Amino acid sequence: MSTIIHDIEVLKAKTSKISEIDFNNLKFGHVFSDHMLECDFKNGEWEAPKVVPYQPITLDPSAKIFHYGQSVFEGMKAYKDADGKVWLFRPLDNFKRLNISSKRLAIPELPENYFMDGLKALLKVDEDWIPEKEGSSLYIRPFVFASGNGFHASPADEYKFIICTAPSGAYFSGEVKVLIEEKYSRSANGGVGFAKAGGNYAGQFYPTQLAVEKGYQQVIWTDDTSHEYIEEAGAMNIFVRIDDTLVTAPTSDRILDGITRKSIIELAKSENIPVEVRKLSVKEVVEAAQNGSLKEMFGAGTAAVISPISGFGYKDNDYELPKLTDDSYASFLKKRITDIQTNKVEDPFGWRMEVK
């Protein structure tokens, strides 16, 4: 038996797994909610999305996702405030970026109402899965991939759009130590680095593994030609504080236009924190570390929000960052963003959206 929520057909699961879940001890992205949104592209158009029970997907071995990698995704979160209201953070930015990514990989773009109404319907059905513990949230993973069959190297004729959710705790705990990459590149000019394509992340795993073997947790990506300029931190955008100025690289073909990144820039400016969006050389960062003007480095992304960096390695040398307490931009900006996300403070930017 089905119901209709936000004009979306909902087929509810016969039983729920929620009683089996320890919401006080949630790993990130390991437990999945009872339902998912599913929508197919066939015969040249997107069919009506449905909310269905969370379940495995059956695909033909010749499905083009396995052979040519047409796959894009997004990362979002839903939050509950003290009154039990449910909130999203800049969801239309995620929708727009999903379509930007899809277009670059020759995937048909989604209608806005399919994404937004489908997401709201899914959250209403699985509202009890949204954690209320401080620091936890319901992680949301929308993704699109080629489900059409064939070995011919061409775009597929069928696609599948799915949204899954996972109640999650913190992505990272504590600070991370990073290695500035001197050989491998995350992406290249004219490529798909600006898109949230699955292959971008697959290509990061091996260099990151090499860094982990050397005692680091993540890689700082540099430009693809000279490796002279800092671009991203692992799977996140990166910010560097030199004296009192916050510096981050400009977006490009190689750098993801992060939603958390944009929020940090706008929030910092509103708090009169000097912000520079410009090319940042490895040489400048090393010199700042040597002369004491390097105060902070941190990654920024949906999963972790802000992940402080305790030190970095470069050319067989390690550089430690000072441990700031009262004057940390990372701590201040993370609290301001998470307070907006969880409806603890006013939202002067219009970023927060209530799910009704």
Side-chain angles (χ1 to χ4, degrees), residues 28-92:
F28 185 89
H30 279 250
V31 174
F32 304 99
S33 313
D34 285 329
H35 299 88
M36 65 186 194
L37 182 79
E38 189 172 35
C39 183
D40 288 303
F41 181 89
K42 295 181 178 179
N43 301 315
E45 64 180 9
W46 285 104
E47 299 177 348
K50 293 181 180 180
V51 172
V52 299
Y54 184 89
Q55 58 192 287
I57 302 166
T58 300
L59 293 172
D60 193 281
S62 67
K64 290 197 171 185
I65 177 57
F66 301 132
H67 308 280
Y68 303 112
Q70 276 184 289
S71 172
V72 298
F73 70 95
E74 274 298 321
M76 311 169 64
K77 288 180 178 178
Y79 310 85
K80 268 187 182 172
D81 66 15
D83 297 321
K85 294 180 180 178
V86 177
W87 301 91
L88 292 166
F89 184 72
R90 306 187 72 166
L92 287 173

Side-chain angles (χ1 to χ4, degrees), residues 33-35 122-130 138 165:
S33 313
D34 285 329
H35 299 88
L122 178 61
L123 292 177
K124 291 302 292 182
V125 173
D126 281 344
E127 186 171 335
D128 291 343
W129 283 86
I130 304 173
L138 186 72
T165 63

Side-chain angles (χ1 to χ4, degrees), residues 17 41 83 93 162 164 205 247 254 324 348 351 356:
K17 308 182 297 288
F41 181 89
D83 297 321
D93 288 308
I162 291 175
C164 297
F205 294 155
V247 185
R254 303 184 306 276
L324 302 181
W351 292 337
K356 299 180 179 178

